[in-house]
Amino acid sequence: MMKLIDPDEKSDFYAILQAQHLAAEDFELHEVDTTDPKTDEIFALTGFVTVSRKSSGRKKQYPIGDGSTWVAEFERDLQQGAFG
C-alpha cells in the first residue's frame, strides 16, 4: 500500500512543530487511504490524516493525497490554538 503522506510533508510537519517549540512525540499522525482500488484508470491517491496531540487530547482531520495542503492547514490550526 502506498503511503499518502510523502517524506517532504512529514519533514515540513516536524519543522512546524520545532518552530513552535513543540515536542514531536506529543503529536501522532494516523493515515487512512480512501483511494478506490477498483478503478482501472490511473487514480489520484486520496485519504485523510488525523493529527492528534497526546497532551491535550485534541484531534483534527485533514484531507491528504495529490495536491493536498494539509501541512499548511495544520500550521494555521496550530497557530489558532486548535491543539491547545
Side-chain angles (χ1 to χ4, degrees):
M1 184 174 93
M2 288 267 313
K3 284 279 178 220
L4 293 174
I5 298 174
D6 71 42
D8 288 349
E9 289 176 324
K10 217 166 236 185
S11 53
D12 291 348
F13 173 80
Y14 289 119
I16 290 164
L17 294 179
Q18 198 173 9
Q20 302 284 329
H21 308 292
L22 296 167
E25 48 280 355
D26 192 23
F27 287 82
E28 206 169 65
L29 297 175
H30 179 69
E31 196 177 336
V32 175
D33 189 339
T34 58
T35 305
D36 183 358
K38 293 189 274 306
T39 49
D40 289 338
E41 311 131 43
I42 295 172
F43 47 81
L45 294 170
T46 56
F48 55 89
V49 60
T50 303
V51 180
S52 311
R53 184 171 188 184
K54 297 173 192 169
S55 63
S56 68
R58 296 274 180 89
K59 293 179 181 187
K60 214 148 168 33
Q61 212 173 67
Y62 303 96
I64 54 175
D66 296 344
S68 95
T69 57
W70 74 270
V71 177
E73 291 170 41
F74 165 74
E75 184 173 26
R76 186 193 59 220
D77 289 342
L78 190 64
Q79 289 168 343
Q80 292 174 350
F83 291 90

